[in-house]
Amino acid sequence: MKLARYKFGDNAPAYGLIRGENIYEVQGDIFSDYAPTGVQHPLGQVKLLAPVTPSIIAAVGKNYYDHALEFDNTLPESPIIFFKPQTAVIGPDDAIVRPFISTRVDYEGELAMVVKKTARCVSAADYKDYILGYTILNDVTARDLQRKDGQWARAKGFDTFAPIGPIITDEVDAASLRIETLLNGATVQSSNTGKLLFSLGQVFEFITRFMTLRPGDVIATGTPEGVGPMSSGDTVEVRIEGIGALRNTVVDEA
């Protein structure tokens, strides 16, 4: 399954299944039961949107060995969890807005899981039963504010700081996927999800031990080494093998 949320012309946003170079509209609940409507469009004629509007994004900090060392040279004993609000979500090709109160805004390319059904106290071995599929997330961060505040809510919670997309898919082995970030065409992050400190199942179990996740919620699983700043006019692209590329431009706040 390769599922996307899209807009065609002046039509209302819809969900569709991607097959080849076309997208086939579906109706119903994407988390339980949906079916094709018979409507299809060439992919090049639609605008892909953020594939979900999560009630919350639960994210993991310092979940790659090399990034933990570049961040503060310490390795966590258990997953470090923080949250990004729904208002931070944007889709492919939307603009990331650098707030005027920050002097450094960084990219952080990440693999993300999309929750399929209500999840509480789920074991690591069973996490796949609760996942609709995988997507890409850029955990945009105001690095100077993160260091100033000593906690991460403001630095990671600005509007536009959670680009998500372009699709959701269950057709990948998420335990071993090539992940890279490009800034203006130059590779700045390059790693593999097999290098996660805490596996996807461990992360899912840890989070659902203290909170309930609902359909459409998103878990961002951490970023590899190579994080760095973006400037107005830049183009940042996060690529994950088998999922695609999430591309956004950067602008300064008016």
Side-chain angles (χ1 to χ4, degrees):
M1 169 270 287
K2 292 182 178 178
L3 187 68
R5 184 168 168 262
Y6 70 94
K7 197 170 189 304
F8 177 73
D10 294 329
N11 295 347
Y15 276 99
L17 292 170
I18 296 175
R19 295 171 182 161
E21 296 301 314
N22 295 308
I23 189 164
Y24 297 81
E25 183 182 272
V26 298
Q27 61 184 358
D29 184 355
I30 64 164
F31 302 106
S32 59
D33 187 25
Y34 58 88
T37 65
V39 176
Q40 69 180 74
H41 307 284
L43 270 174
Q45 295 182 13
V46 304
K47 174 176 171 52
L48 295 182
L49 308 173
V52 287
T53 51
S55 66
I56 197 167
I57 299 167
V60 189
K62 302 200 299 182
N63 201 25
Y64 284 81
Y65 175 82
D66 290 337
H67 174 59
L69 295 185
E70 77 173 349
F71 184 77
D72 64 6
N73 209 34
T74 61
L75 296 179
E77 296 181 0
S78 59
I80 298 172
I81 307 300
F82 61 93
F83 303 104
K84 295 174 84 81
Q86 185 186 79
T87 49
V89 173
I90 57 174
D93 297 313
D94 291 339
I96 297 167
V97 179
R98 288 175 12 114
F100 67 85
I101 62 173
S102 174
T103 60
R104 175 170 169 169
V105 175
D106 285 10
Y107 54 80
E108 294 191 12
E110 307 196 9
L111 173 72
M113 300 184 277
V114 179
V115 178
K116 180 180 182 179
K117 57 185 178 181
T118 301
R120 183 75 165 93
C121 294
V122 176
S123 71
D126 294 334
Y127 92 94
K128 289 183 181 179
D129 295 337
Y130 292 82
I131 292 296
L132 179 66
Y134 305 91
T135 190
I136 302 171
L137 185 142
N138 188 345
D139 175 23
V140 180
T141 304
R143 191 70 66 201
D144 56 329
L145 300 183
Q146 182 183 32
R147 290 169 176 153
K148 177 180 180 181
D149 292 351
Q151 49 85 19
W152 303 356
R154 180 169 66 143
K156 291 177 175 287
F158 282 94
D159 291 356
T160 77
F161 272 26
I164 304 176
I167 68 170
I168 303 168
T169 182
D170 60 1
E171 298 179 5
V172 294
D173 177 7
S176 180
L177 294 174
R178 185 173 65 255
I179 176 172
E180 57 183 4
T181 302
L182 287 77
L183 186 67
N184 300 322
T187 301
V188 287
Q189 290 185 288
S190 182
S191 191
N192 189 287
T193 59
K195 295 183 178 181
L196 288 169
L197 287 175
F198 302 102
S199 71
L200 303 180
Q202 289 174 314
V203 167
F204 202 92
E205 178 178 293
F206 186 86
I207 292 172
T208 61
R209 285 292 177 185
F210 70 86
M211 69 176 291
T212 299
L213 295 173
R214 304 190 184 281
D217 285 346
V218 169
I219 298 175
T221 60
T223 195
E225 69 171 329
V227 300
M230 302 177 291
S231 300
S232 180
D234 285 348
T235 298
V236 59
E237 182 175 323
V238 184
R239 299 177 180 174
I240 299 183
E241 177 185 6
I243 302 177
L246 172 63
R247 186 182 303 105
N248 298 92
T249 55
V250 182
V251 300
D252 282 336
E253 185 176 17

